[in-house]
Amino acid sequence: MVNVCIITGFGINSDYESKYAFELAGADIVNRVHVNDLINKKENLENYNILMFPGGFAFADDLGSGRVLANKFRYNLREDLTNFINADKLIFGVCNGFQVLVKMGVLPELDGVQYQQEVSLIGNASGLFEGRWVQLKPLKSPCVWTHDYKHNLEVPVRHGEGQFVVKDKKTLEKLWERNLVPFVYDPDEYPNNPNGSIDGIAAICNDSGHIFGMMPHPECHLNKYQHPKWTRGKIPAENGLKIFKNAVEYIRKKQI
Ligand SMILES: NC(=O)CC[C@H](N)C(=O)O
């Protein structure tokens, strides 16, 4: 069985699209689960094998996007999350969800999960909220979620704090040495790189390829009708649905 837990509550707004993406991808159970229901034990992560943090404005981006929700998990659900990660299950964070994962310190977890932040996503270099479709180039990586992308992926961005930064040069070197960057903005220049991320980094994964985060929204490009040029231009060969299908097929094969 492929059972997906999609975190919701407190200003998250891409949970329904994310649920639909996993249903299209063939998951068996896809539940939107309020973070408080996990904390109050009304729900339990051990009933799931895929966990997604969707986009939105959790806690209205107070203290910086993703910070409060990251702390809610880090200080109330650390044991459950660690068990989930150690069971080789899959975790995905999109936009606000990506911000949560890096600020919780579980991505990229270069020296094992220690809940210590190693990278961040800060205010866009433009100082503006950026919203548009962008091109991403897939790169070789262990990422389960981006397996077998052969063409540039076109997906929308909509964020104010998407600038990927690292705590030091060593961290950046490790990300490249270990191929932990599954997507870069291509071309790596504004406006296609909407936020000024270092090296055009749009997404990162951990060494196992099970934990993955990206700023653009693949759940908003699941079919050609969502693409802005579907009535009058060339539709890209691949869309965001493949990310969700890769995850569902991985779990089904591994029966985790
Ligand atoms: N669409 C989103 O998830 C936005 C993330 C975050 N609120 C930001 O503005 O950067």
Side-chain angles (χ1 to χ4, degrees):
M1 291 283 280
V2 181
N3 300 336
V4 184
C5 172
I6 295 186
I7 299 302
T8 188
F10 299 115
I12 287 172
N13 66 18
S14 303
D15 40 334
Y16 281 104
E17 299 99 311
S18 303
K19 173 175 164 65
Y20 178 61
F22 277 110
E23 287 166 347
L24 268 189
D28 299 295
I29 293 174
V30 188
N31 290 340
R32 291 170 51 252
V33 177
H34 195 289
V35 59
N36 281 354
D37 288 345
L38 288 174
I39 293 172
N40 303 331
K41 304 296 176 207
K42 278 194 212 149
E43 270 278 6
N44 197 316
L45 280 181
E46 64 187 27
N47 300 326
Y48 299 93
N49 34 42
I50 296 178
L51 172 62
M52 179 170 180
F53 292 86
F57 295 78
F59 296 94
D61 288 351
D62 280 357
L63 305 181
S65 302
R67 172 65 65 197
V68 175
L69 188 54
N71 284 351
K72 265 216 176 269
F73 263 81
R74 183 156 55 172
Y75 297 115
N76 295 284
L77 291 161
R78 182 182 299 214
E79 194 185 332
D80 295 2
L81 193 58
T82 303
N83 294 339
F84 192 91
I85 292 168
N86 292 341
D88 285 336
K89 295 179 176 180
L90 302 183
I91 301 180
F92 187 22
V94 170
C95 204
N96 202 208
F98 185 18
Q99 293 157 340
V100 169
L101 288 179
V102 300
K103 294 183 179 183
M104 212 195 297
V106 298
L107 185 66
E109 49 149 12
L110 293 169
D111 303 312
V113 181
Q114 307 194 9
Y115 295 92
Q116 295 303 317
Q117 195 172 343
E118 298 164 312
V119 302
S120 197
L121 290 147
I122 65 172
N124 298 334
S126 64
L128 302 171
F129 187 89
E130 300 281 349
R132 69 180 64 85
W133 281 67
V134 297
Q135 289 246 19
L136 304 180
K137 179 161 73 180
L139 301 180
K140 179 171 138 321
S141 85
C143 187
V144 163
W145 298 82
T146 60
H147 172 65
D148 204 26
Y149 264 101
K150 295 190 177 63
H151 307 275
N152 273 17
L153 175 62
E154 292 185 22
V155 275
V157 297
R158 48 194 188 203
H159 57 255
E161 300 180 35
Q163 184 177 176
F164 182 81
V165 292
V166 292
K167 71 175 185 178
D168 54 29
K169 197 163 164 288
K170 196 99 195 84
T171 300
L172 188 62
E173 285 166 359
K174 285 181 185 173
L175 287 173
W176 288 116
E177 278 158 18
R178 301 187 201 177
N179 298 311
L180 300 184
V181 181
F183 285 124
V184 289
Y185 297 108
D186 179 33
D188 176 14
E189 64 197 26
Y190 189 82
N192 193 73
N193 175 338
N195 44 49
S197 289
I198 189 166
D199 291 359
I201 293 174
I204 60 170
C205 69
N206 73 328
D207 284 308
S208 70
H210 292 170
I211 306 177
F212 172 47
M214 62 190 284
M215 278 313 288
H217 289 258
E219 77 284 6
C220 297
H221 185 198
L222 302 173
N223 59 58
K224 70 175 185 179
Y225 303 110
Q226 292 174 304
H227 191 279
K229 293 201 184 112
W230 80 274
T231 58
R232 63 191 184 285
K234 196 167 166 312
I235 299 298
E238 293 174 306
N239 61 38
L241 183 58
K242 187 174 201 168
I243 287 174
F244 299 92
K245 281 187 171 172
N246 280 338
V248 170
E249 281 152 27
Y250 180 83
I251 293 290
R252 205 170 302 288
K253 224 183 290 168
K254 292 267 181 183
Q255 263 321 308
I256 293 171

